[in-house]
Amino acid sequence: MPEIFFLKLALILYGIATVGFFIFFYTLKPEALRGARWVFLAGFGLHTLSLALRALALKAPPVISFHGATSFLAWAVAGVYFFFTLKGPKVYTLGTFLAPVVLLLVAVALLSPYAPAPLPPALRSIWLPFHATISLLSYAFFVVAAVAGFMYLLQERQVKRKMLGGIFRRLPPLESLDRLNEMSLKYGFPLLTVGIITGALWAEKAWGSYWSWDPKETWSLILWFIYAALLHERLIVGWRGRRAAIMALLGFVVWIISFFVVNLLLPGLHNYGRWT
């Protein structure tokens, strides 16, 4: 399967890039950062090719299995990294914390069953590419928000303890990390909202009901309320810094339950084992 071959190559390049980002974090040498970025971009290119070949093989979006969804999510997280390096605050060490996440997601995808399976009738809908890809893109932004939140709390700890040495010099200013967290939320929350709406439209077409309180639907709603509350507190109340970082990490924990536990272990219409 050529798509798996290219995905394995992407995994290798992501691994090399991760090492490069850690070298940059340790040495702060710009050439290490440039090298890591180029290797990461090469892995992203091979990953894109793998997903395209997967879509051609399935004649459907490559997100209808746990393997495909996890691979696409890893690709989306890498894409969001490059997006923010162009449009976001200059968080140069973001790759040090984000590349391992991409590497882990690709590894999980490769460890999952990836033989193409016939598309179940309920999934043969125009809403599938919209619902699945938009939802996964929103998750990618939330992953970045959580990483930025973790970096914020780590840097804040250095500042409070007046440990202005190695880690302090290698982490971005608190303002930049808070800004990255906020931007990730502003992009991710509307995508999640659209993902839930398109999912409801798809559910009505496939199963005759817009909402059935399926475990995945329930956890997605919990996730939506968490990020809605965080966005409200940021925009209306003026939350910044530590509270927002902790809330982003809470959302990340709920997302982990929603994506891994609910999709794989709990019975329901969204269980990947039921689909395949």
Side-chain angles (χ1 to χ4, degrees), residues 37 77-91 94 98 140-145 148 179-188:
R37 280 180 172 174
V77 172
V80 170
Y81 166 78
F82 288 113
F83 173 76
F84 278 131
T85 58
L86 295 175
K87 297 198 67 172
K90 300 302 180 184
V91 181
L94 177 63
L98 204 59
F141 281 104
F142 295 147
V143 168
V144 175
R179 176 62 177 157
L180 180 62
N181 188 318
E182 181 179 18
M183 289 181 66
S184 299
L185 177 64
K186 286 182 176 179
Y187 284 112

mmCIF file of all heavy atoms in Angstrom, residues 37 77-91 94 98 140-145 148 179-188:
data_model
loop_
_atom_site.group_PDB
_atom_site.id
_atom_site.type_symbol
_atom_site.label_atom_id
_atom_site.label_comp_id
_atom_site.label_asym_id
_atom_site.label_seq_id
_atom_site.Cartn_x
_atom_site.Cartn_y
_atom_site.Cartn_z
ATOM 1 N N ARG A 37 12.704 22.770 10.774
ATOM 2 C CA ARG A 37 11.506 23.203 10.053
ATOM 3 C C ARG A 37 11.445 22.602 8.651
ATOM 4 O O ARG A 37 10.388 22.153 8.190
ATOM 5 C CB ARG A 37 11.478 24.729 9.965
ATOM 6 C CG ARG A 37 10.983 25.415 11.232
ATOM 7 C CD ARG A 37 11.001 26.919 11.044
ATOM 8 N NE ARG A 37 10.363 27.613 12.147
ATOM 9 C CZ ARG A 37 10.345 28.937 12.275
ATOM 10 N NH1 ARG A 37 10.939 29.697 11.358
ATOM 11 N NH2 ARG A 37 9.743 29.508 13.298
ATOM 12 N N VAL A 77 -2.499 19.055 12.626
ATOM 13 C CA VAL A 77 -1.697 19.702 13.665
ATOM 14 C C VAL A 77 -0.407 20.261 13.060
ATOM 15 O O VAL A 77 -0.003 21.393 13.365
ATOM 16 C CB VAL A 77 -1.377 18.711 14.799
ATOM 17 C CG1 VAL A 77 -0.387 19.322 15.788
ATOM 18 C CG2 VAL A 77 -2.654 18.308 15.528
ATOM 19 N N ALA A 78 0.235 19.474 12.189
ATOM 20 C CA ALA A 78 1.439 19.966 11.518
ATOM 21 C C ALA A 78 1.113 21.181 10.656
ATOM 22 O O ALA A 78 1.873 22.157 10.619
ATOM 23 C CB ALA A 78 2.063 18.852 10.671
ATOM 24 N N GLY A 79 -0.033 21.131 9.966
ATOM 25 C CA GLY A 79 -0.427 22.263 9.140
ATOM 26 C C GLY A 79 -0.697 23.514 9.956
ATOM 27 O O GLY A 79 -0.337 24.625 9.551
ATOM 28 N N VAL A 80 -1.321 23.352 11.119
ATOM 29 C CA VAL A 80 -1.582 24.492 11.996
ATOM 30 C C VAL A 80 -0.265 25.086 12.497
ATOM 31 O O VAL A 80 -0.143 26.310 12.645
ATOM 32 C CB VAL A 80 -2.488 24.080 13.171
ATOM 33 C CG1 VAL A 80 -2.564 25.185 14.216
ATOM 34 C CG2 VAL A 80 -3.887 23.757 12.667
ATOM 35 N N TYR A 81 0.719 24.236 12.736
ATOM 36 C CA TYR A 81 2.037 24.740 13.138
ATOM 37 C C TYR A 81 2.586 25.692 12.076
ATOM 38 O O TYR A 81 3.024 26.811 12.388
ATOM 39 C CB TYR A 81 3.011 23.585 13.357
ATOM 40 C CG TYR A 81 4.453 24.038 13.437
ATOM 41 C CD1 TYR A 81 4.960 24.615 14.602
ATOM 42 C CD2 TYR A 81 5.304 23.931 12.336
ATOM 43 C CE1 TYR A 81 6.271 25.054 14.671
ATOM 44 C CE2 TYR A 81 6.617 24.374 12.397
ATOM 45 C CZ TYR A 81 7.093 24.934 13.574
ATOM 46 O OH TYR A 81 8.386 25.387 13.640
ATOM 47 N N PHE A 82 2.553 25.269 10.829
ATOM 48 C CA PHE A 82 3.073 26.129 9.765
ATOM 49 C C PHE A 82 2.205 27.374 9.590
ATOM 50 O O PHE A 82 2.715 28.459 9.273
ATOM 51 C CB PHE A 82 3.172 25.347 8.451
ATOM 52 C CG PHE A 82 4.279 24.334 8.437
ATOM 53 C CD1 PHE A 82 4.005 22.980 8.403
ATOM 54 C CD2 PHE A 82 5.607 24.736 8.486
ATOM 55 C CE1 PHE A 82 5.027 22.043 8.403
ATOM 56 C CE2 PHE A 82 6.636 23.819 8.487
ATOM 57 C CZ PHE A 82 6.342 22.462 8.448
ATOM 58 N N PHE A 83 0.911 27.224 9.782
ATOM 59 C CA PHE A 83 0.008 28.376 9.699
ATOM 60 C C PHE A 83 0.403 29.439 10.708
ATOM 61 O O PHE A 83 0.500 30.630 10.391
ATOM 62 C CB PHE A 83 -1.429 27.913 9.921
ATOM 63 C CG PHE A 83 -2.431 29.024 10.016
ATOM 64 C CD1 PHE A 83 -2.864 29.690 8.884
ATOM 65 C CD2 PHE A 83 -2.946 29.415 11.248
ATOM 66 C CE1 PHE A 83 -3.800 30.727 8.967
ATOM 67 C CE2 PHE A 83 -3.865 30.437 11.344
ATOM 68 C CZ PHE A 83 -4.292 31.094 10.198
ATOM 69 N N PHE A 84 0.652 29.024 11.939
ATOM 70 C CA PHE A 84 0.982 29.986 12.988
ATOM 71 C C PHE A 84 2.408 30.526 12.852
ATOM 72 O O PHE A 84 2.686 31.634 13.323
ATOM 73 C CB PHE A 84 0.780 29.374 14.369
ATOM 74 C CG PHE A 84 -0.646 29.402 14.835
ATOM 75 C CD1 PHE A 84 -1.242 28.265 15.353
ATOM 76 C CD2 PHE A 84 -1.403 30.557 14.756
ATOM 77 C CE1 PHE A 84 -2.563 28.285 15.786
ATOM 78 C CE2 PHE A 84 -2.717 30.595 15.173
ATOM 79 C CZ PHE A 84 -3.305 29.454 15.688
ATOM 80 N N THR A 85 3.301 29.780 12.231
ATOM 81 C CA THR A 85 4.637 30.335 12.010
ATOM 82 C C THR A 85 4.591 31.472 10.994
ATOM 83 O O THR A 85 5.480 32.333 10.972
ATOM 84 C CB THR A 85 5.619 29.257 11.514
ATOM 85 O OG1 THR A 85 5.134 28.677 10.296
ATOM 86 C CG2 THR A 85 5.826 28.176 12.552
ATOM 87 N N LEU A 86 3.548 31.494 10.171
ATOM 88 C CA LEU A 86 3.393 32.558 9.184
ATOM 89 C C LEU A 86 2.529 33.705 9.698
ATOM 90 O O LEU A 86 2.801 34.871 9.421
ATOM 91 C CB LEU A 86 2.768 31.993 7.895
ATOM 92 C CG LEU A 86 3.604 30.965 7.128
ATOM 93 C CD1 LEU A 86 2.808 30.413 5.953
ATOM 94 C CD2 LEU A 86 4.901 31.590 6.635
ATOM 95 N N LYS A 87 1.464 33.376 10.474
ATOM 96 C CA LYS A 87 0.489 34.395 10.846
ATOM 97 C C LYS A 87 0.424 34.675 12.339
ATOM 98 O O LYS A 87 -0.185 35.662 12.745
ATOM 99 C CB LYS A 87 -0.912 33.966 10.371
ATOM 100 C CG LYS A 87 -1.048 33.832 8.863
ATOM 101 C CD LYS A 87 -2.487 33.850 8.440
ATOM 102 C CE LYS A 87 -3.127 35.200 8.698
ATOM 103 N NZ LYS A 87 -4.477 35.333 8.141
ATOM 104 N N GLY A 88 0.978 33.807 13.148
ATOM 105 C CA GLY A 88 0.819 33.961 14.583
ATOM 106 C C GLY A 88 1.989 34.662 15.237
ATOM 107 O O GLY A 88 2.919 35.123 14.572
ATOM 108 N N PRO A 89 1.948 34.759 16.565
ATOM 109 C CA PRO A 89 3.077 35.330 17.314
ATOM 110 C C PRO A 89 4.309 34.451 17.153
ATOM 111 O O PRO A 89 4.198 33.241 16.932
ATOM 112 C CB PRO A 89 2.566 35.316 18.767
ATOM 113 C CG PRO A 89 1.494 34.282 18.793
ATOM 114 C CD PRO A 89 0.858 34.301 17.441
ATOM 115 N N LYS A 90 5.466 35.034 17.256
ATOM 116 C CA LYS A 90 6.712 34.316 17.020
ATOM 117 C C LYS A 90 7.064 33.435 18.220
ATOM 118 O O LYS A 90 7.778 33.842 19.130
ATOM 119 C CB LYS A 90 7.841 35.310 16.720
ATOM 120 C CG LYS A 90 7.578 36.178 15.493
ATOM 121 C CD LYS A 90 7.365 35.325 14.251
ATOM 122 C CE LYS A 90 7.089 36.173 13.015
ATOM 123 N NZ LYS A 90 6.795 35.360 11.829
ATOM 124 N N VAL A 91 6.525 32.238 18.189
ATOM 125 C CA VAL A 91 6.804 31.259 19.238
ATOM 126 C C VAL A 91 7.760 30.234 18.645
ATOM 127 O O VAL A 91 7.352 29.182 18.151
ATOM 128 C CB VAL A 91 5.503 30.604 19.741
ATOM 129 C CG1 VAL A 91 5.792 29.603 20.846
ATOM 130 C CG2 VAL A 91 4.539 31.675 20.247
ATOM 131 N N LEU A 94 7.830 26.465 19.651
ATOM 132 C CA LEU A 94 6.578 25.718 19.589
ATOM 133 C C LEU A 94 6.803 24.323 19.021
ATOM 134 O O LEU A 94 6.212 23.346 19.495
ATOM 135 C CB LEU A 94 5.561 26.486 18.740
ATOM 136 C CG LEU A 94 4.203 25.798 18.512
ATOM 137 C CD1 LEU A 94 3.467 25.604 19.831
ATOM 138 C CD2 LEU A 94 3.349 26.621 17.539
ATOM 139 N N LEU A 98 5.303 20.638 19.931
ATOM 140 C CA LEU A 98 4.232 20.194 19.042
ATOM 141 C C LEU A 98 4.661 19.019 18.166
ATOM 142 O O LEU A 98 3.849 18.119 17.891
ATOM 143 C CB LEU A 98 3.782 21.361 18.166
ATOM 144 C CG LEU A 98 2.358 21.278 17.606
ATOM 145 C CD1 LEU A 98 1.336 21.179 18.732
ATOM 146 C CD2 LEU A 98 2.060 22.496 16.741
ATOM 147 N N ALA A 140 -7.277 20.099 15.835
ATOM 148 C CA ALA A 140 -5.872 20.476 15.639
ATOM 149 C C ALA A 140 -5.578 21.817 16.312
ATOM 150 O O ALA A 140 -4.538 21.985 16.960
ATOM 151 C CB ALA A 140 -5.548 20.539 14.148
ATOM 152 N N PHE A 141 -6.486 22.768 16.168
ATOM 153 C CA PHE A 141 -6.291 24.068 16.828
ATOM 154 C C PHE A 141 -6.340 23.926 18.346
ATOM 155 O O PHE A 141 -5.604 24.602 19.064
ATOM 156 C CB PHE A 141 -7.340 25.067 16.348
ATOM 157 C CG PHE A 141 -7.041 25.656 14.996
ATOM 158 C CD1 PHE A 141 -7.724 25.234 13.871
ATOM 159 C CD2 PHE A 141 -6.074 26.638 14.858
ATOM 160 C CE1 PHE A 141 -7.453 25.772 12.624
ATOM 161 C CE2 PHE A 141 -5.787 27.190 13.619
ATOM 162 C CZ PHE A 141 -6.472 26.759 12.499
ATOM 163 N N PHE A 142 -7.200 23.034 18.847
ATOM 164 C CA PHE A 142 -7.278 22.840 20.290
ATOM 165 C C PHE A 142 -6.021 22.169 20.836
ATOM 166 O O PHE A 142 -5.628 22.430 21.975
ATOM 167 C CB PHE A 142 -8.519 22.020 20.642
ATOM 168 C CG PHE A 142 -9.820 22.722 20.328
ATOM 169 C CD1 PHE A 142 -10.936 21.995 19.932
ATOM 170 C CD2 PHE A 142 -9.927 24.098 20.424
ATOM 171 C CE1 PHE A 142 -12.138 22.636 19.644
ATOM 172 C CE2 PHE A 142 -11.121 24.756 20.130
ATOM 173 C CZ PHE A 142 -12.225 24.017 19.742
ATOM 174 N N VAL A 143 -5.414 21.301 20.044
ATOM 175 C CA VAL A 143 -4.142 20.699 20.451
ATOM 176 C C VAL A 143 -3.087 21.788 20.605
ATOM 177 O O VAL A 143 -2.337 21.817 21.594
ATOM 178 C CB VAL A 143 -3.684 19.635 19.431
ATOM 179 C CG1 VAL A 143 -2.236 19.222 19.699
ATOM 180 C CG2 VAL A 143 -4.585 18.407 19.488
ATOM 181 N N VAL A 144 -3.036 22.705 19.653
ATOM 182 C CA VAL A 144 -2.073 23.808 19.733
ATOM 183 C C VAL A 144 -2.385 24.691 20.938
ATOM 184 O O VAL A 144 -1.469 25.143 21.641
ATOM 185 C CB VAL A 144 -2.075 24.629 18.428
ATOM 186 C CG1 VAL A 144 -1.169 25.850 18.560
ATOM 187 C CG2 VAL A 144 -1.618 23.761 17.258
ATOM 188 N N ALA A 145 -3.666 24.944 21.197
ATOM 189 C CA ALA A 145 -4.047 25.747 22.364
ATOM 190 C C ALA A 145 -3.568 25.090 23.649
ATOM 191 O O ALA A 145 -3.078 25.766 24.569
ATOM 192 C CB ALA A 145 -5.564 25.937 22.396
ATOM 193 N N ALA A 148 0.222 25.444 23.883
ATOM 194 C CA ALA A 148 0.540 26.818 24.288
ATOM 195 C C ALA A 148 0.221 27.033 25.765
ATOM 196 O O ALA A 148 0.972 27.714 26.483
ATOM 197 C CB ALA A 148 -0.244 27.810 23.426
ATOM 198 N N ARG A 179 -1.304 34.839 23.613
ATOM 199 C CA ARG A 179 -1.854 35.238 22.317
ATOM 200 C C ARG A 179 -2.052 34.022 21.410
ATOM 201 O O ARG A 179 -3.075 33.908 20.724
ATOM 202 C CB ARG A 179 -0.918 36.250 21.656
ATOM 203 C CG ARG A 179 -1.302 36.687 20.248
ATOM 204 C CD ARG A 179 -2.640 37.378 20.221
ATOM 205 N NE ARG A 179 -2.966 37.847 18.886
ATOM 206 C CZ ARG A 179 -4.206 38.078 18.456
ATOM 207 N NH1 ARG A 179 -5.233 37.880 19.263
ATOM 208 N NH2 ARG A 179 -4.412 38.510 17.236
ATOM 209 N N LEU A 180 -1.105 33.101 21.430
ATOM 210 C CA LEU A 180 -1.224 31.882 20.632
ATOM 211 C C LEU A 180 -2.406 31.041 21.113
ATOM 212 O O LEU A 180 -3.159 30.486 20.293
ATOM 213 C CB LEU A 180 0.072 31.074 20.722
ATOM 214 C CG LEU A 180 0.108 29.755 19.941
ATOM 215 C CD1 LEU A 180 -0.066 30.012 18.451
ATOM 216 C CD2 LEU A 180 1.416 29.013 20.211
ATOM 217 N N ASN A 181 -2.568 30.947 22.410
ATOM 218 C CA ASN A 181 -3.707 30.233 22.980
ATOM 219 C C ASN A 181 -5.023 30.851 22.505
ATOM 220 O O ASN A 181 -5.950 30.150 22.075
ATOM 221 C CB ASN A 181 -3.606 30.292 24.512
ATOM 222 C CG ASN A 181 -4.627 29.416 25.209
ATOM 223 O OD1 ASN A 181 -5.785 29.354 24.822
ATOM 224 N ND2 ASN A 181 -4.191 28.743 26.264
ATOM 225 N N GLU A 182 -5.095 32.178 22.560
ATOM 226 C CA GLU A 182 -6.318 32.873 22.156
ATOM 227 C C GLU A 182 -6.608 32.696 20.666
ATOM 228 O O GLU A 182 -7.757 32.432 20.276
ATOM 229 C CB GLU A 182 -6.187 34.357 22.479
ATOM 230 C CG GLU A 182 -7.421 35.170 22.130
ATOM 231 C CD GLU A 182 -7.272 36.639 22.477
ATOM 232 O OE1 GLU A 182 -6.122 37.095 22.673
ATOM 233 O OE2 GLU A 182 -8.294 37.339 22.544
ATOM 234 N N MET A 183 -5.589 32.815 19.833
ATOM 235 C CA MET A 183 -5.792 32.652 18.396
ATOM 236 C C MET A 183 -6.251 31.235 18.062
ATOM 237 O O MET A 183 -7.123 31.038 17.206
ATOM 238 C CB MET A 183 -4.499 32.983 17.650
ATOM 239 C CG MET A 183 -4.126 34.453 17.647
ATOM 240 S SD MET A 183 -2.601 34.778 16.720
ATOM 241 C CE MET A 183 -3.126 34.364 15.046
ATOM 242 N N SER A 184 -5.675 30.235 18.734
ATOM 243 C CA SER A 184 -6.075 28.853 18.498
ATOM 244 C C SER A 184 -7.545 28.660 18.835
ATOM 245 O O SER A 184 -8.290 27.978 18.120
ATOM 246 C CB SER A 184 -5.212 27.899 19.332
ATOM 247 O OG SER A 184 -3.848 28.009 18.992
ATOM 248 N N LEU A 185 -7.991 29.272 19.923
ATOM 249 C CA LEU A 185 -9.388 29.180 20.327
ATOM 250 C C LEU A 185 -10.296 29.863 19.311
ATOM 251 O O LEU A 185 -11.357 29.332 18.949
ATOM 252 C CB LEU A 185 -9.569 29.806 21.704
ATOM 253 C CG LEU A 185 -10.991 29.849 22.260
ATOM 254 C CD1 LEU A 185 -11.513 28.434 22.478
ATOM 255 C CD2 LEU A 185 -11.049 30.653 23.543
ATOM 256 N N LYS A 186 -9.886 31.017 18.838
ATOM 257 C CA LYS A 186 -10.730 31.774 17.906
ATOM 258 C C LYS A 186 -10.893 31.058 16.566
ATOM 259 O O LYS A 186 -11.916 31.213 15.891
ATOM 260 C CB LYS A 186 -10.144 33.166 17.691
ATOM 261 C CG LYS A 186 -10.348 34.097 18.878
ATOM 262 C CD LYS A 186 -9.793 35.489 18.606
ATOM 263 C CE LYS A 186 -10.085 36.444 19.755
ATOM 264 N NZ LYS A 186 -9.523 37.793 19.508
ATOM 265 N N TYR A 187 -9.896 30.288 16.176
ATOM 266 C CA TYR A 187 -10.023 29.496 14.954
ATOM 267 C C TYR A 187 -10.731 28.169 15.230
ATOM 268 O O TYR A 187 -11.554 27.702 14.430
ATOM 269 C CB TYR A 187 -8.644 29.214 14.352
ATOM 270 C CG TYR A 187 -8.026 30.397 13.644
ATOM 271 C CD1 TYR A 187 -6.900 31.032 14.162
ATOM 272 C CD2 TYR A 187 -8.556 30.876 12.447
ATOM 273 C CE1 TYR A 187 -6.322 32.115 13.521
ATOM 274 C CE2 TYR A 187 -7.990 31.959 11.796
ATOM 275 C CZ TYR A 187 -6.865 32.576 12.331
ATOM 276 O OH TYR A 187 -6.293 33.656 11.692
ATOM 277 N N GLY A 188 -10.397 27.533 16.340
ATOM 278 C CA GLY A 188 -10.913 26.201 16.609
ATOM 279 C C GLY A 188 -12.383 26.162 16.982
ATOM 280 O O GLY A 188 -13.112 25.258 16.547
#
